[in-house]
Amino acid sequence: MNRSEELQAYVAGLFAAEDAVLAEIRREHRSLGLPDIAISAEEGRVLQVLLRAAGARRVLEVGTLGGYSGIWIARALGEGGRLTTIEIDREFAAVARQSFERAGLSDRVEVLEGQALDILPLLEPGFDAIFLDADKEPLVEYYHCSLALLKLGGLLLCDNAFFNGRVVDLADRRPDIEGVRAFNRMAATDPRLLATVLPVRDGLLIGVKLAE
Ligand code: DHB
Ligand code: MG
């Protein structure tokens, strides 16, 4: 380990240890062969601090996968809080429901199955926070839907702002990478949003909605 990795491990050890439930769920998702793209515990803790600071009670996630990130999020919600999470893959959604059950969070999490772009326009606006962590090509469309669904002062959070470093490899113009770039540009330049990227894991974009 170099010094920077050592410091990262130091912080993770102090602040972002998984409990037994999260560790077991991560192991189980690996053994089920789910894609190894869930957030890290460090990122989970960052989400929790932000959600608590915002007093978030009503949160939306796009891209449930097996529910690992959803557990971090749902645990950070205030009294009476509710997480709505959208997953396109039927089997991932089933795994996620089991994960929420196992974590004792079923009563505060709703998994909606289907295409995010079909579901988002049907949701009631006024979310305290939205976490985008799904497919990358439609990210600008997710951006517009999210701004419409967030309350003033709400948090926009988006995973994979670095997309494995590929965002700065300008020769690479694949549509998913272009989706991440376009999203980051929107978030950086839209006067309705105050945003930045935290260099946590694969880059976590965080923003506050300032205006309608
Ligand atoms: C990809 C998507 C993710 O949400 C992630 O965390 C890592 C990779 C992907 O589409 O490759
Ligand atoms: Mg991701």
Side-chain angles (χ1 to χ4, degrees), residues 37-39 43 131-134 136 159-160 201-202:
I37 56 173
I39 65 165
E43 192 175 1
F131 179 49
L132 300 176
D133 191 14
K136 308 309 178 196
D159 193 37
N160 312 105
R201 198 178 69 97
D202 195 22

Side-chain angles (χ1 to χ4, degrees), residues 165-175 177-178 181:
R166 286 170 289 198
V167 278
V168 290
D169 181 3
L170 298 181
D172 198 337
R173 304 292 295 272
R174 279 175 287 181
I177 309 173
E178 290 287 52
R181 287 188 189 115

Side-chain angles (χ1 to χ4, degrees), residues 10-119:
Y10 167 76
V11 171
L14 267 179
F15 295 99
E18 286 176 334
D19 67 358
V21 173
L22 280 166
E24 192 191 310
I25 283 170
R26 182 182 282 283
R27 274 196 300 274
E28 188 193 272
H29 291 180
R30 189 173 303 135
S31 76
L32 287 171
L34 257 60
D36 188 19
I37 56 173
I39 65 165
S40 62
E42 294 88 326
E43 192 175 1
R45 177 49 62 92
V46 171
L47 292 174
Q48 290 189 324
V49 171
L50 292 168
L51 293 169
R52 279 281 171 183
R57 291 177 63 245
R58 203 171 153 240
V59 177
L60 173 67
E61 176 183 58
V62 181
T64 315
L65 193 60
Y68 180 84
S69 52
I71 292 174
W72 283 95
I73 292 169
R75 284 177 171 177
L77 303 180
E79 192 63 31
R82 190 155 188 79
L83 169 67
T84 302
T85 179
I86 302 174
E87 176 54 51
I88 193 171
D89 185 289
R90 203 173 237 300
E91 287 170 28
F92 295 169
V95 171
R97 286 194 186 96
Q98 275 180 10
S99 306
F100 295 128
E101 184 72 43
R102 188 112 55 88
L105 294 164
S106 293
D107 57 335
R108 56 165 72 183
V109 182
E110 182 181 23
V111 181
L112 301 179
E113 255 174 69
Q115 284 265 10
L117 289 175
D118 294 335
I119 295 172

